[in-house]
Amino acid sequence: GDKAFAQFLTDEIKEERKIQKHKSLPKVSGGWELEVHGTEARLVRKIAGEKITVTFNINNSIPPSEDDEPQEEQKPDEQEPELTSTPNFVVEVIKDDTKQTLVLDCHYPEDEIGHEGEEESDIFTIREVSFQPPGESDWKETNYTLNTDSLDWALYDHLMDFLADRGVDNTFADELIELSTALEHQEYIKFLEDLKSFVKCQ
């Protein structure tokens, strides 16, 4: 059984390498520096008196595939639909002269992706906003968290503009999907390789 499993993994790795779009991770334009720690990635950018950090994790970032349509019309040689990784991401804005960090929790709404028709629509939304003390890795539950569901639209628009002025806009969000998808695929191939070694190990 293990031998067949290892052989299957070998073929699978070969296939995945064939469809791998990026041999190295795509860059995000706008002077962002990338740090990757396992499945977590962080993009950092400094602008006048501010440091902007965007953090995301590729785990569970691929939305479940829609299996509603009957599969009869799929031709045998047809490519499977491309998987896209759309992780939630957290934007932290730290101003040098304050001792606070503005934290904006953003995500890609499932129904927005693929609706190219609407020109003005944003491909990501802000879910929550709060202030956190700098350097705190854990969210303080005692800090007021603004949920955007019930937010005044004008305030929400200003928050989106605030992000756009710092380089977090639709272009950035598109490039983040590209980066995250490449990173996810890279990690998946690595996982298959680790699994193969593990299965082959006596």
Side-chain angles (χ1 to χ4, degrees):
D2 284 3
K3 207 172 254 166
F5 191 10
Q7 186 51 53
F8 167 79
L9 288 168
T10 304
D11 297 343
E12 193 69 9
I13 290 164
K14 211 177 286 166
E15 281 308 302
E16 290 296 333
R17 283 205 186 288
K18 215 182 291 173
I19 60 169
Q20 194 172 17
K21 270 211 313 221
H22 303 279
K23 290 291 166 254
S24 61
L25 293 173
K27 290 259 187 291
V28 175
S29 58
W32 294 90
E33 282 177 29
L34 174 67
E35 305 164 14
V36 180
H37 306 285
T39 58
E40 187 177 85
R42 173 174 291 164
L43 290 157
V44 182
R45 178 174 190 237
K46 291 192 172 78
I47 51 174
E50 291 182 7
K51 178 180 169 188
I52 297 102
T53 307
V54 178
T55 313
F56 65 93
N57 195 316
I58 57 165
N59 278 337
N60 304 318
S61 66
I62 294 186
S65 57
E66 302 296 328
D67 280 340
D68 304 340
E69 278 114 57
Q71 292 292 313
E72 282 111 59
E73 63 278 5
Q74 196 172 5
K75 299 177 194 71
D77 59 327
E78 230 175 68
Q79 276 288 320
E80 284 178 28
E82 222 172 273
L83 295 175
T84 306
S85 161
T86 50
N88 298 342
F89 58 96
V90 175
V91 183
E92 295 174 60
V93 180
I94 303 167
K95 286 187 185 273
D96 292 348
D97 48 4
T98 67
K99 288 283 167 272
Q100 280 180 315
T101 305
L102 183 65
V103 180
L104 302 102
D105 197 351
C106 303
H107 76 139
Y108 295 96
E110 270 108 53
D111 50 357
E112 285 300 318
I113 298 189
H115 293 311
E116 299 303 319
E118 303 117 39
E119 268 310 289
E120 281 304 290
S121 131
D122 290 300
I123 61 172
F124 70 96
T125 59
I126 302 170
R127 252 201 312 220
E128 291 181 346
V129 188
S130 67
F131 281 108
Q132 297 294 337
E136 293 282 337
S137 52
D138 298 327
W139 285 64
K140 277 211 171 12
E141 292 302 324
T142 50
N143 284 17
Y144 179 75
T145 300
L146 176 67
N147 192 311
T148 56
D149 288 346
S150 52
L151 201 56
D152 175 338
W153 276 107
L155 176 52
Y156 183 83
D157 285 343
H158 278 298
L159 284 169
M160 287 299 273
D161 291 345
F162 176 85
L163 283 181
D165 290 343
R166 284 150 183 82
V168 180
D169 52 13
N170 274 350
T171 307
F172 173 86
D174 265 334
E175 291 180 358
L176 186 101
I177 290 178
E178 187 89 350
L179 168 65
S180 182
T181 302
L183 187 60
E184 203 283 334
H185 198 197
Q186 184 178 292
E187 284 295 315
Y188 175 62
I189 292 173
K190 199 162 135 277
F191 173 79
L192 291 177
E193 286 169 340
D194 290 347
L195 187 57
K196 189 176 92 174
S197 318
F198 184 81
V199 169
K200 284 171 87 167
C201 189
Q202 293 306 314

